[in-house]
Amino acid sequence: MRETVTVVPIRLLGDPVLRQAAQPVETFDAELRRLVADLRQTLDDSNGAGLAAPQIGVGLRVFAIHPKLSDGELDHLVNPQLTFPDEDEQDGIEGCLSIPGVYLDTKRRMNVTAKGFNVHGDPVQIVGSGLLSRCVQHETDHLDGVLFLDRQDVEGQRRIMSTLRAASWFDEVGGPEPVVKVSPH
C-alpha cells in the first residue's frame, strides 16, 4: 500500500507557527514518514532548496533539503543538532519560501555538521559547506522560530519590514505583525 503524499500550502511570514520553536520528534512512525514525504513533495513542487516542517504548519523538528545539495545521500533530517568545525563565514543571497520574492545578502557559517536522525530513527549526519551549509542552517533556524530576516542588521530589518508590509501577499496572511528575533546559532 502506497502512502498518500501531498503538496501542502506553505505558511507565509506573519503566520505564528513560523515564530514558534518546534518540538523534538519522539515517535518515528507512519505519521512522521508521511510528514517527510509531504515535505519532499512540497519542496519539489516549489523549486526550493529546503523546507522545514513549521513552514507547512507542523511544529516538529524536521526539515527536507533538495537532494542535489547532498548528492542524493540524505534529503531530510529529524531533530538536527548543529556544530561548526571552524569560524569561516560566507555571505550570499538567500531567500525563503515563506517570504516570497525577498532575497537578501545573509551571513552564515561556511561549514556545518548536522547530526540527527532519518525518518526511521537511525542516527545520521550531514557534513557540508557552501550552499549545503547555508541551507541546513536556514532550515534549522526555522525549527527555532527564526527567519533569515532576523540575520540582517537593524537598518536592514527596518527597510525589509516596510517592504514586506507592502507585498501583495502580506495581507493574505492575516496574522500578527511580524517580529524580528535573534538566532541561537
Side-chain angles (χ1 to χ4, degrees), residues 6 14 36 45 53 74 81 89-90 95 106 113 124 142 150-152 159 171 173 179:
T6 307
V36 170
D45 186 68
L74 184 64
Q81 297 290 318
E89 293 183 331
Q90 60 175 312
T106 305
T113 299
V124 294
H142 273 299
D150 303 331
R151 293 187 169 274
Q152 304 301 306
R159 279 193 315 270
D171 288 334
V173 176
V179 296

Side-chain angles (χ1 to χ4, degrees), residues 51-124:
L51 187 66
Q55 290 180 273
I56 61 170
V58 179
L60 291 175
R61 296 189 70 79
V62 182
F63 67 74
I65 57 174
H66 195 287
K68 288 183 181 178
L69 290 177
S70 63
D71 296 325
E73 293 295 315
L74 184 64
D75 68 352
H76 69 281
L77 198 58
V78 178
N79 296 338
Q81 297 290 318
L82 305 187
T83 57
F84 304 98
D86 54 46
E87 299 294 320
D88 294 348
E89 293 183 331
Q90 60 175 312
D91 281 317
I93 298 298
E94 196 166 310
C96 181
L97 295 172
S98 292
I99 311 170
V102 174
Y103 301 91
L104 301 170
D105 191 41
T106 305
K107 188 177 295 263
R108 296 277 184 187
R109 298 292 281 277
M110 178 61 81
N111 304 297
V112 69
T113 299
K115 294 183 179 184
F117 302 90
N118 68 16
V119 73
H120 304 291
D122 301 322
V124 294

Side-chain angles (χ1 to χ4, degrees), residues 8-13 15-20 22 35 38-39 42-43 46 48-60 62-65 95-100 135 138-143 145-148:
V8 181
I10 295 173
R11 304 294 179 94
L12 299 177
L13 178 68
D15 190 312
V17 73
L18 296 175
R19 289 310 198 162
Q20 297 166 358
L35 171 60
D38 289 350
L39 283 167
T42 303
L43 178 60
S46 67
L51 187 66
Q55 290 180 273
I56 61 170
V58 179
L60 291 175
V62 182
F63 67 74
I65 57 174
C96 181
L97 295 172
S98 292
I99 311 170
C135 183
H138 180 107
E139 299 313 324
T140 302
D141 272 357
H142 273 299
L143 303 181
V146 174
L147 301 174
F148 81 115

Side-chain angles (χ1 to χ4, degrees), residues 122-177:
D122 301 322
V124 294
Q125 77 174 8
I126 297 172
V127 177
S129 62
L131 185 56
L132 176 57
S133 177
R134 177 177 297 283
C135 183
V136 166
Q137 291 171 74
H138 180 107
E139 299 313 324
T140 302
D141 272 357
H142 273 299
L143 303 181
D144 294 327
V146 174
L147 301 174
F148 81 115
L149 302 175
D150 303 331
R151 293 187 169 274
Q152 304 301 306
D153 63 29
V154 174
E155 183 54 35
Q157 290 172 350
R158 224 178 267 126
R159 279 193 315 270
I160 195 63
M161 290 310 293
S162 64
T163 301
L164 289 172
R165 286 184 194 98
S168 62
W169 55 266
F170 186 78
D171 288 334
E172 296 172 17
V173 176
E177 181 73 11

